Amino acid sequence: MNFCNECGGPILFGPVDGDHAPRHVCTRCGYIHYLNPKIVCGCLAIWHDQVLLCRRAIEPRAGFWTLPAGFMENGETTLEGAVRETREEARADIEVEGLYCLFNIPHINQVYMMFKGTLIAGRHAAGDETLETGLYREDQIPWHDLAFPVVRKTLKHYFEDRITGSFPFRMIDLRHPIP
Amino acid sequence: MNFCNECGGPILFGPVDGDHAPRHVCTRCGYIHYLNPKIVCGCLAIWHDQVLLCRRAIEPRAGFWTLPAGFMENGETTLEGAVRETREEARADIEVEGLYCLFNIPHINQVYMMFKGTLIAGRHAAGDETLETGLYREDQIPWHDLAFPVVRKTLKHYFEDRITGSFPFRMIDLRHPIP
């Protein structure tokens, strides 16, 4: 951050009276620019014994497989964001049961929220940011070609939980370096 | 948003190729500035049959009662943010049991995450942004002087759940106008 969004003045990163952390402060108008984590919303869409995966057409991790997910937008709920991203990336509709996994990823300033639900009518197709979509059984998952640790973790929990048929909400911290 | 954080050039709000929504785009360097919801983390701290409340020293809603909560910071988890805010606003430590209520508040672009736990040693005191702190039984809660709908909803759910002794995780949408 080099310039102030408000007045265009130069930004200095430094201490602020009464604050515990240094901030980006405008040297002209004094505006304090806070940087906060972003929410990524997505869906684990189930169709019988299969899960819906997307192969990424864009960086980061182009060519690798992911669950449909993306940055939550202003003006929507976390669920609405997850449903929108699933439509955009996988041309798929989902009947959502609820929030399944929440991941804190502090080294990249992200909070992932993965909802679980049923793919409607088994329909899916590649969206603009996707090379291809597919439905995968557990023994068909491309474990070595998954895009992000958060995808692997969500799938692992799902296949474990499926043994008991109970899918409790989980909060998980993913810290760098990933063990 | 008037000026680009990167180059200081003027920003135009308008359509972007391949995007479903208009964005803030720099007319000089082309940088696209996305605006995303912020996470507010806080704690419902319990001490025997009482809950910990703070009277706000700052706007918005100065003078009204709230649960200790504030904006999540980069580099922390949602739980770390909730614990930090509880220390800052109520000089209180809490043994957290888990996430209790998640509120989507799309008209103000916020997601609230309220954790539930036990106040340690019953200790609390006003922090810099707080006029006073207090422990309140259900029949002592200042219902007409609560700062935000999210505070009322969290307290209502807690006192309802306390009847059964079961405190399930809840996701709640708060939309404007609040009914």
Side-chain angles (χ1 to χ4, degrees):
Chain A
M1 188 179 293
N2 304 310
F3 298 94
C4 177
N5 281 145
E6 299 295 313
C7 78
I11 295 281
L12 212 70
F13 184 69
V16 170
D17 271 358
D19 204 331
H20 67 281
R23 305 290 176 188
H24 294 86
V25 185
C26 179
T27 56
R28 189 188 293 165
C29 75
Y31 192 92
I32 304 172
H33 297 263
Y34 295 94
L35 297 177
N36 303 95
K38 289 186 193 296
I39 297 172
V40 181
C41 302
C43 284
L44 176 68
I46 310 297
W47 180 247
H48 300 295
D49 62 344
Q50 298 171 305
V51 301
L52 175 64
L53 296 180
C54 306
R55 201 151 72 86
R56 292 174 63 82
I58 57 168
E59 294 296 344
R61 302 289 281 164
F64 289 83
W65 291 89
T66 190
L67 295 165
F71 287 111
M72 183 182 177
E73 303 255 10
N74 276 356
E76 67 186 6
T77 67
T78 50
L79 173 57
E80 288 165 350
V83 166
R84 177 183 52 71
E85 288 288 343
T86 304
R87 283 207 188 109
E88 288 177 10
E89 298 192 350
R91 304 270 189 252
D93 287 315
I94 176 169
E95 191 177 314
V96 174
E97 291 149 22
L99 185 59
Y100 182 44
C101 295
L102 187 154
F103 295 91
N104 295 295
I105 319 182
H107 61 283
I108 55 169
N109 306 316
Q110 290 182 0
V111 173
Y112 257 79
M113 297 198 204
M114 301 305 294
F115 290 80
K116 185 170 118 13
T118 305
L119 184 62
I120 292 174
R123 274 195 301 264
H124 60 92
D128 290 341
E129 301 182 351
T130 302
L131 294 172
E132 57 178 315
T133 52
L135 291 169
Y136 288 85
R137 288 198 318 266
E138 184 174 7
D139 61 354
Q140 298 170 324
I141 300 280
W143 292 106
H144 295 290
D145 293 314
L146 296 179
F148 307 112
V150 74
V151 176
R152 163 181 293 270
K153 283 272 183 186
T154 304
L155 291 170
K156 285 278 182 197
H157 282 306
Y158 171 68
F159 291 119
E160 278 169 29
D161 286 347
R162 208 173 56 174
I163 297 168
T164 62
S166 164
F167 301 89
F169 167 70
R170 279 189 180 79
M171 179 173 288
I172 299 143
D173 294 350
L174 291 179
R175 294 184 190 270
H176 184 75
I178 309 300
Chain B
M1 189 179 292
N2 305 309
F3 298 94
C4 177
N5 281 145
E6 299 296 313
C7 78
I11 294 280
L12 212 71
F13 184 69
V16 171
D17 271 357
D19 205 331
H20 67 282
R23 305 290 176 187
H24 294 86
V25 185
C26 179
T27 57
R28 190 188 293 164
C29 75
Y31 192 92
I32 303 172
H33 297 262
Y34 295 95
L35 298 176
N36 305 95
K38 290 187 193 295
I39 297 171
V40 181
C41 303
C43 284
L44 176 68
I46 310 298
W47 180 247
H48 300 295
D49 62 344
Q50 298 172 305
V51 300
L52 175 64
L53 296 180
C54 307
R55 202 151 72 85
R56 291 173 63 82
I58 56 168
E59 294 296 343
R61 301 288 282 160
F64 290 83
W65 291 89
T66 192
L67 296 165
F71 288 111
M72 183 183 177
E73 304 253 11
N74 276 355
E76 67 186 5
T77 67
T78 50
L79 172 57
E80 287 166 352
V83 166
R84 176 183 52 71
E85 288 290 341
T86 305
R87 283 206 189 111
E88 286 176 12
E89 298 192 351
R91 306 269 188 250
D93 287 315
I94 176 170
E95 189 177 316
V96 174
E97 290 148 23
L99 185 59
Y100 182 44
C101 295
L102 187 153
F103 296 91
N104 295 296
I105 317 181
H107 61 282
I108 54 170
N109 306 316
Q110 290 182 0
V111 173
Y112 257 79
M113 297 199 203
M114 301 303 294
F115 291 80
K116 184 170 119 12
T118 305
L119 183 64
I120 292 174
R123 275 195 299 264
H124 60 91
D128 290 341
E129 301 181 353
T130 303
L131 294 173
E132 57 178 315
T133 53
L135 290 169
Y136 288 85
R137 286 199 319 265
E138 183 174 8
D139 61 355
Q140 298 171 323
I141 299 281
W143 294 106
H144 296 289
D145 293 315
L146 296 179
F148 307 112
V150 73
V151 176
R152 164 180 293 270
K153 284 271 183 189
T154 304
L155 291 170
K156 285 278 182 197
H157 282 306
Y158 171 69
F159 291 120
E160 278 169 29
D161 286 348
R162 209 174 54 174
I163 296 167
T164 61
S166 165
F167 301 90
F169 167 70
R170 278 189 180 80
M171 179 173 288
I172 299 143
D173 293 350
L174 291 179
R175 294 184 190 271
H176 185 73
I178 307 300

